[in-house]
Amino acid sequence: MFYLDHNATSPLRPESLSAVTNVLSLGGNPSSIHAKGRAARAIVEDARERIADLVNGAGAQVIFTSGATESNNLALFGAAEGSLEGDDSKAGGRITRLFVTAIEHSSVLATATRLAERFPWVRVATLPVTADGVIDLEGLRVALREGKGRALVAVMAANNETGVVQPIAEVSRLAREAGALLLVDAVPAAGKIGIDFALCDYLTLSAHKMGGPQGVGALLVRAGAPLAPQLVGGGQQQGLRAGTENLPGIAGFGVAAHVLRDAPGERDRIAHLRDHFETRLKEIAPEAVIFGTSAPRLCSTSCFAIPGLTAETALIGLDLDGVMLSSGSTCSSGKVAVSHVLAAMRVEAELASCALRATFGWNSTVEDINAATSSLLKLRERIRAREAA
Ligand code: PMP
């Protein structure tokens, strides 16, 4: 089996697996005041520090969630609702405008749509990207100047389909100049590029994209940024996210973040594999198009198309050869639909229907790449033979 789908989910790192299993047998509720509870609390607090460390944040800023989907929901709904309450001068007033880029993950885009229904005074606008998939900064500057009231801006640190990195420092500067709040979805970018939470008000992470377990994520929130809890009940996590913490998941998440932070060689190795893949791809299919290459990209992601070879056909052929990669975005990879990200980059629908995504991670090998390119070569030759017939 050759796994090239790390942006969908990265296999569990062995260090995370042992943390998860150890904690599963340990048990304990972090809210209990007895010894077992205190041991559980120490595990949670330790993980908080390690995760915050990865993005230059502080442990106290970390709220554990069930994953990045929940984190994005909590940030957007929580900010809009939280901005209605409390000390206006501190909170900066109610949020009346939400700007999202056209390439955000569906957990941001769908939440923005729901938010506009639930808070009718919030105007939602979609920010375009360039043909390289980078946010149009001038468009953002103009958008922030227009309209009244406080704005919230959601820009991902890097795109999960193309790997294109967004200019977060510039986005942050524009947002701050306009008194706007900034949510950064750092799911595929964390640990691959430097992320500085000091530039953001809210930041989203997911454990399973960095070799941690599935079903656990985090939202970092700047002290003083508005946030109303979306899950209420017990007073866990300073009342911001009720529910007994997912202790094994959090332990595995903390370890994954720690291992990733201390593995700078891993990034170089992954970048080398990605470059090797793209060089081989161009050798076997010179007509192949690789998306987003004029912009800075994550070392882990290659989004490409071989014209004439549809993603649907390719995925079946690759799967028969034991090669696993995906088409379009992770969460819609079950259904082969044209990616909203490529559409926003104005990629023609026919070419976009051929788009595939190979993503590499901590345990990727050169054998994975060779298997993928051999399988793609076979598929391409079959198509060319059919065309010639
Ligand atoms: N944001 C981005 C950019 C993602 O790629 C994903 C996962 N596909 C999510 C959010 C949602 O993450 P989770 O699976 O943890 O809910």
Side-chain angles (χ1 to χ4, degrees):
M1 290 301 199
F2 306 97
Y3 190 79
L4 295 95
D5 206 6
H6 282 253
N7 283 15
T9 197
S10 203
L12 197 59
R13 292 177 191 263
E15 300 91 335
S16 282
L17 176 61
S18 33
V20 170
T21 48
N22 286 344
V23 169
L24 268 174
S25 51
L26 213 68
N29 184 328
S31 296
S32 303
I33 55 171
H34 49 60
K36 221 175 184 31
R38 291 198 304 277
R41 159 100 12 236
I43 290 166
V44 172
E45 297 312 322
D46 184 50
R48 241 189 253 291
E49 294 298 330
R50 290 173 158 193
I51 289 154
D53 240 21
L54 187 65
V55 292
N56 192 33
Q61 295 164 326
V62 175
I63 301 171
F64 286 113
T65 63
S66 63
T69 298
E70 185 190 329
S71 298
N72 283 330
N73 273 260
L74 173 59
L76 296 175
F77 282 127
E81 194 184 325
S83 75
L84 302 176
E85 333 167 321
D87 178 356
D88 241 17
S89 58
K90 184 177 151 205
R94 60 150 68 173
I95 289 166
T96 56
R97 296 173 293 150
L98 169 61
F99 297 105
V100 297
T101 76
I103 58 164
E104 292 304 301
H105 186 259
S106 53
S107 57
V108 167
L109 295 177
T111 304
T113 305
R114 279 287 290 279
L115 194 137
E117 289 160 12
R118 205 183 285 178
F119 303 102
W121 57 87
V122 180
R123 210 167 49 79
V124 178
T126 306
L127 300 165
V129 294
T130 65
D132 293 326
V134 182
I135 182 175
D136 173 4
L137 287 169
E138 182 54 20
L140 173 64
R141 202 176 60 77
V142 171
L144 284 169
R145 243 192 355 221
E146 289 163 357
K148 288 202 177 67
R150 194 168 211 194
L152 170 59
V153 182
V155 182
M156 64 203 329
N159 185 264
N160 50 304
E161 294 183 34
T162 60
V164 169
V165 174
Q166 302 300 317
I168 294 301
E170 284 84 351
V171 169
S172 171
R173 190 173 48 76
L174 292 174
R176 295 232 158 122
E177 277 168 16
L181 294 158
L182 175 62
L183 163 65
V184 172
D185 178 337
V187 167
K192 312 274 182 354
I193 53 171
I195 303 280
D196 185 2
F197 180 61
L199 298 170
C200 322
D201 299 287
Y202 310 93
L203 185 132
T204 300
L205 294 171
S206 180
H208 73 107
K209 310 290 176 146
M210 54 174 86
Q214 296 176 337
V216 58
L219 179 70
L220 275 84
V221 183
R222 176 181 59 75
L227 192 81
Q230 301 302 301
L231 282 181
V232 293
Q236 292 94 343
Q237 307 208 64
Q238 303 154 63
L240 291 171
R241 201 275 190 181
T244 302
E245 293 88 342
N246 170 1
L247 194 63
I250 288 170
F253 187 7
V255 168
H258 184 66
V259 172
L260 178 57
R261 187 166 190 269
D262 286 346
E266 183 174 299
R267 282 186 282 280
D268 292 344
R269 205 181 62 79
I270 294 170
H272 185 73
L273 289 174
R274 199 270 315 264
D275 292 346
H276 175 56
F277 174 77
E278 292 187 347
T279 307
R280 280 291 295 138
L281 177 67
K282 282 290 194 183
E283 281 165 11
I284 63 160
E287 76 283 17
V289 178
I290 305 173
F291 301 106
T293 47
S294 325
R297 282 184 306 154
L298 294 180
C299 59
S300 52
T301 306
S302 185
C303 184
F304 63 96
I306 299 176
L309 174 62
T310 65
E312 215 161 352
T313 306
L315 288 182
I316 297 166
L318 288 159
D319 194 40
L320 287 171
D321 287 338
V323 177
M324 292 169 273
L325 39 80
S326 68
S327 74
S329 81
T330 309
C331 301
S332 59
S333 54
K335 53 179 166 57
V336 181
V338 167
S339 136
H340 71 284
V341 174
L342 296 178
M345 291 163 69
R346 296 174 284 288
V347 173
E348 252 183 76
E350 196 177 335
L351 185 62
S353 72
C354 300
L356 293 167
R357 184 187 65 177
T359 51
F360 316 98
W362 66 271
N363 66 351
S364 297
T365 62
V366 80
E367 285 75 30
D368 294 330
I369 280 140
N370 292 342
T373 49
S374 310
S375 182
L376 285 168
L377 175 62
K378 250 184 7 198
L379 288 162
R380 179 182 175 273
E381 279 173 350
R382 208 175 302 155
I383 284 176
R384 295 289 169 265
R386 207 177 306 146
E387 279 170 0

